[in-house]
Structures are given as structure tokens and as C-alpha cells.
Amino acid sequence: MQTRLFINGEFVDALSGASIPVRNPFDNSLICEVAGAEAADVDRAVAAARAALPGWRAMDAADRGLLLLRLADAIEGNADELAELEARDTGHPLRDTRNLDVPRTVRCYRYFGGMADKFEGFVPPVYPGFLNYVEREPVGIVGQIVPWNFPLMFTAWKLAPALAAGNCVIMKPAELTPLSSLRIAELVRDVGFPPGVVNILPGYGHTAGARLADHPEIGKLSFTGSTETGRNIVRMSAGNLKKLQLELGGKGANIVFEDANITAAVNGAAWAIFHNQGQACIAGSRLILQEAIADEFLERFIGLARSIRLGDPLDPLTEMGPLTSKEHQQRVLAYCKLAVEEGGEILTGGKVPSDPALAAGFFVEPTIVRAKPSDRICQEEVFGPFVSVTTFSSDQDALVIANDVPYGLGSGLWTNNLQRAHRMAREIRAGMVWINSYKVVHPGSPFGGVGKSGYGREMGFEVMREYTQPKSVWVNVDAQISPFYKRP
Ligand code: NAD
């Protein structure tokens, strides 16, 4: 497959000749080197996007949608290859990339392919004699920065709506995991997107990413990544007052009430934190248990965590793979150490697995820690298979603990009491709340957070608003002209 930058419909070397090594996190072997974009390459991509924009905007929206639908078909036609590529590059188990990431990716392109010719403006009632209509125009040239945790899926979440809305895009995948995005670039070319409409440039954040943030011709930047980088991007983008969408970190509360279905809650809590090794912004990383059921819940939850099959992501039986990089593994292990220093109790995990077959990979065992809500491990995003456990007595206690973090992305609650469920959903400070489930996403439902989790939304009509701007057009049909400065 191609490993170079995708600019103006072609694969080209970086102007500097720089390259980035891509490693398999299961055994640290080198998969390949990809070209590493720098600022000058971003400038080249912007020039290509600028040239492509008038034609792309003028195209019948149904034809733009059709290209997205063809892209979805091409991804489906290459599903096995893409699932394997993603597993190799990121460490996600194949059973997840095959059953979740690829189908969700296809669904996302289809959803926005269908949306392209249906996203409407509106006609507000105004003064008699005037017609006012409001169109939604594309922003123009859009920058997109993707993290390493779900590269294939997040590429879809960003490309699909931006293109459906009529923008030209320059996307930078994360330097650690650029392969599925480059494969998508090949499919973009094969299904016939005009050159310059989609540009995909692997590169480092401080070079290519920074140029996307400060480029004066990029009208909007959609960023998914850490809160710290998000803050830098706000500063760097100030020059042209870029429209920003920031999908940042999370510290999801997952509350289990004594009236919940405990089996469903145990399984759901494991999915919430251990899927993708906990490397999910919406992970349910703070388990908040009502005292009456805490012991029973924990016994079963710990048993489940210990039974998770760690292994080679390419083995279809593997349930948990390695973390995506050595550096990140060390970061998660440092949080395990900190947990003990803060007086927490590691109930299971907290270390690398002893199996010699896993020794070369960046594994961390599924980890459950009893801790105080004020501990750093309950306040900071760990982004690994690491969940803190706290108990509560009343609904009010649960709410105070749930809301006592600076993040507000995803949260879950498990209860069979209808009123409690809706009351808690209303009071929890988060962009998304799941009741008796966790981490369900759909291209039709807004995805994003509040507080340090950022602002703006992916998905649905909300994201179409993000990628467009309203233009209000006033027409004097038969209005009385104002008397000021009236001349015969
Ligand atoms: P990161 O911020 O280090 O990197 C994310 C992306 O930003 C990468 O492509 C990186 O190259 C780029 N980048 C880094 N420095 C940059 C700079 N100075 N200027 C421009 N771009 C720069 O984050 P990460 O470690 O790759 O990803 C994990 C983080 O992403 C976690 O905090 C997680 O919660 C968050 N995340 C959020 C969501 C969401 O939707 N809210 C989804 C997934 C991940």
C-alpha cells in the first residue's frame, strides 16, 4: 500500500524527504516508514484544496453524496484487509476492528453520503414584504487532526460530514497510526473524488499539526486529542480566528445503583473500560457503586477482568491487545504506581502480564483500583485499561462524585428506576449519558463534551452545522421603503 502523502489526488514524498517509522505494538517490529509531512507540505495541500474548492462546492450535492456512498462500498469491499491493517497498526483486537471499527466506518460514510443533499437551510418569518432565506455554506478549507486510538473510525467521523457539506479537507492522522487513513486515501482516489478535495498527510503534531492550526486559509479545524494539545491549538489558531471543534479527553463516570441488573452492569462496565484497552475518550474509567451491591459487583467484575484474554491482536480469540505505544504503556504503569502512593488499593492488575509470549508487546493487565474521588487517578485521564472504584450511599452522593471532575464527555448509569434514571441523566455534567448501556454511538446522535472535554460536536445534524456557516439573504419582495433619505 501507499506510504506517501496524499496531496492533490496523488501520492508524493514529503518536501523535506522526512519519514516516520510505524511499529506494531504487539512485538515492536517495524511495519513500514511513511512520509512525514511538515509545514511546507501542508501549504502544498492547502493550495490543492483552494484550487479544488470552487468545483467541489458547485457540484450537485447528490453527486458529492454518491462519492461518499461509493467510498463506503469500497471500504466494505476491503473490510478484511482494513480490519487487519488497523489491528496491526493500533493493537486493537481483530475481533473489534472487524465487528466494530470497519462496520461503523462504513455506516458513517453512508449516513453522511445520504445527508449531502438533505441538509437544508431555512426561511425565518421576518418583516412583511421581505423574504429572508438562510443557506448553509461550506466553511471552505478544513483542517482535521486525528488521534491514534480509533484512526479508521475517526477518519470517517471527520471526513464524511466535512465532504458532504462541500468542504475540501486536509487531514493529519496521528504519527503513531497513519496506515488505515493512507489506505482510505487510496480508496478516495479509486472511487473518483476530484484531486485536491481530500488530502491526507501523516506528520508530527508540532510540525504538520501546528501548521494546520495556524494556517491563515484554513477556516475551520476539527481536532480530536488530548486537552493539553487542544489548548495549544486554541492559541495557535487565533491568527485567523479559526472556527474550532475540540473533542478532548474524558473521565467517564459509570454509576451502578442497587436496583440495577447486576449481570448487565458488570458486563457493561467491563466493555466501558476494557474495550480497546481503555484507550477511549468516553471510557467508563470511574466506577461508582452503591454500597449495598459493591461487594457482589466487585467480586464478579474482578473475576471478569481476570478472565479477559490478552494476546496477539491478529488472533481472532484475543479480547485485549497491547497499548498503542511503549511510551503510553509506561504512562499507564506510572498511574498504577501513583494509585498505591495515594493510598489506593489495586484489586487486580496494575502491572504488565507475566506471560512471556506477550513480553515484547506494550501490554498492561486489566486494572481495578479502589480509590478516593479526590485522588489524582480519579481526576486525570489515564487512557488505559485502568478503572477506579468508589462507593456511595445516596443519589446525591453519586451525583457529587460523578460531577467532581473537570471533564464532561460520556457517563453511564445502571438502574431499573425510571425516575432516578432520567433525573440523574439530567443532572450529570456530560455531553453523553447512557442508561443501562455504555459507549453506544451512531452517526445520527451528537458526540462531544463539555468543560475540559472540549466543545463542538461530531455526528448528525450538529456536525453539519459545524462544517457550514449560515448565510442570510434578504429580498425585498414588496416592502415599504424606509422614509429616510427618500427622494422623488
Ligand atoms: P494528542 O493530543 O497527543 O495527539 C492528537 C493529535 O494531535 C495527533 O495527531 C498529534 O500529532 C496532534 N498534535 C500533537 N501536538 C500537536 C500540536 N502542537 N499541534 C497540532 N497538532 C498536534 O492526543 P493523543 O495522545 O494522540 O490521543 C489521546 C487523547 O485524545 C486522549 O486525551 C483522548 O481522550 C482524546 N480523545 C478524545 C476524543 C473525543 O472525541 N473527545 C476521542 C478520542 C480521543
Side-chain angles (χ1 to χ4, degrees):
M1 62 166 277
Q2 289 286 349
T3 55
R4 296 187 294 165
L5 313 179
F6 184 61
I7 299 179
N8 205 23
E10 292 177 340
F11 289 91
V12 296
D13 287 319
L15 287 171
S16 70
S19 64
I20 300 175
V22 182
R23 295 190 174 277
N24 179 336
F26 176 63
D27 57 11
N28 203 18
S29 61
L30 185 69
I31 302 175
C32 63
E33 303 241 344
V34 299
E38 295 183 355
D41 301 297
V42 173
D43 293 354
R44 258 200 303 175
V46 170
R50 186 198 309 131
L53 188 61
W56 184 241
R57 273 188 66 160
M59 187 188 274
D60 184 339
D63 291 335
R64 284 203 304 264
L66 198 56
L67 283 168
L68 287 168
L69 296 174
R70 285 202 192 119
L71 181 58
D73 291 347
I75 293 167
E76 207 164 46
N78 291 277
D80 286 346
E81 182 210 327
L82 273 163
E84 194 181 316
L85 186 67
E86 188 80 335
R88 211 181 279 279
D89 195 10
T90 63
H92 295 202
L94 189 61
R95 67 168 205 155
D96 290 347
T97 59
R98 202 180 257 161
N99 298 321
L100 295 171
D101 300 42
V102 172
R104 284 177 173 181
T105 297
V106 169
R107 184 187 271 266
C108 181
Y109 285 112
R110 291 216 168 109
Y111 179 90
F112 288 104
M115 174 78 88
D117 60 350
K118 295 170 196 70
F119 186 60
E120 306 173 327
F122 60 100
V123 180
V126 291
Y127 306 113
F130 275 103
L131 166 67
N132 178 253
Y133 61 92
V134 182
E135 294 183 313
R136 303 285 323 186
E137 291 186 331
V139 174
I141 304 176
V142 163
Q144 303 184 322
I145 298 180
V146 177
W148 45 260
N149 56 339
F150 291 97
L152 178 68
M153 225 167 63
F154 287 157
T155 296
W157 288 21
K158 294 201 185 294
L159 279 186
L163 296 170
N167 299 283
C168 290
V169 175
I170 297 136
M171 164 179 287
K172 191 195 85 60
E175 55 272 29
L176 283 171
T177 57
L179 299 186
S180 55
S181 314
L182 284 172
R183 185 71 185 105
I184 293 297
E186 287 182 328
L187 299 178
V188 160
R189 179 197 57 189
D190 294 350
V191 301
F193 277 86
V197 169
V198 180
N199 304 276
I200 297 186
L201 283 68
Y204 290 106
H206 63 280
T207 53
R211 184 58 178 151
L212 284 172
D214 75 10
H215 199 293
E217 285 183 73
I218 293 180
K220 175 194 162 71
L221 184 68
S222 171
F223 170 78
T224 300
S226 61
T227 298
E228 195 187 331
T229 308
R231 241 187 237 117
N232 283 333
I233 284 187
V234 172
R235 284 188 211 104
M236 287 187 288
S237 65
N240 72 333
L241 301 176
K242 226 175 238 84
K243 195 173 176 190
L244 290 180
Q245 182 186 342
L246 300 175
E247 307 290 345
L248 310 177
K251 193 71 185 171
N254 197 10
I255 309 170
V256 184
F257 290 93
E258 60 192 11
D259 61 21
N261 174 334
I262 298 297
T263 301
V266 167
N267 294 339
W271 154 256
I273 185 62
F274 297 132
H275 164 239
N276 197 26
Q277 295 79 260
Q279 300 167 127
C281 50
I282 51 176
S285 53
R286 291 182 298 142
L287 200 44
I288 303 170
L289 305 176
Q290 194 147 22
E291 280 159 0
I293 48 93
D295 289 346
E296 182 200 346
F297 183 98
L298 276 178
E299 193 187 328
R300 294 173 62 179
F301 186 56
I302 292 167
L304 195 164
R306 288 182 178 152
S307 74
I308 291 175
R309 284 191 298 271
L310 275 60
D312 183 348
L314 295 179
D315 178 343
L317 293 179
T318 293
E319 294 177 321
M320 187 185 278
L323 298 177
T324 297
S325 70
K326 171 116 193 130
E327 189 191 11
H328 189 52
Q329 178 202 36
Q330 294 308 312
R331 186 170 173 267
V332 174
L333 289 170
Y335 272 108
C336 296
K337 192 159 162 271
L338 176 66
V340 178
E341 286 165 11
E342 289 184 310
E345 182 191 357
I346 296 195
L347 302 175
T348 189
K351 57 186 187 331
V352 299
S354 52
D355 181 352
L358 306 181
F362 311 137
F363 286 89
V364 175
E365 285 183 354
T367 301
I368 305 171
V369 182
R370 200 194 295 275
K372 302 181 295 300
S374 58
D375 289 349
R376 273 181 59 198
I377 62 147
C378 296
Q379 293 287 324
E380 299 174 15
E381 186 181 43
V382 178
F383 218 57
F386 180 105
V387 61
S388 65
V389 180
T390 329
T391 55
F392 69 93
S393 51
S394 69
D395 290 20
Q396 187 52 30
D397 283 353
L399 201 55
V400 168
I401 296 170
N403 287 345
D404 183 28
V405 291
Y407 294 103
L409 195 56
S411 283
L413 55 104
W414 301 80
T415 174
N416 282 317
N417 178 325
L418 196 65
Q419 288 181 319
R420 170 183 270 163
H422 290 289
R423 197 174 57 242
M424 294 297 291
R426 189 183 62 205
E427 300 295 331
I428 286 178
R429 194 169 152 270
M432 292 160 283
V433 179
W434 293 279
I435 298 171
N436 293 333
S437 63
Y438 203 98
K439 270 186 16 182
V440 188
V441 293
H442 185 280
S445 179
F447 183 105
V450 299
K452 270 175 77 178
S453 296
Y455 47 77
R457 293 291 181 270
E458 309 270 24
M459 306 300 208
F461 285 85
E462 289 293 335
V463 78
M464 293 300 285
R465 288 185 196 105
E466 301 273 349
Y467 283 114
T468 55
Q469 51 213 3
K471 176 179 273 176
S472 168
V473 180
W474 288 87
V475 185
N476 179 349
V477 179
D478 55 3
Q480 293 300 310
I481 305 293
S482 109
F484 306 112
Y485 308 115
K486 211 170 179 182
R487 302 285 186 275

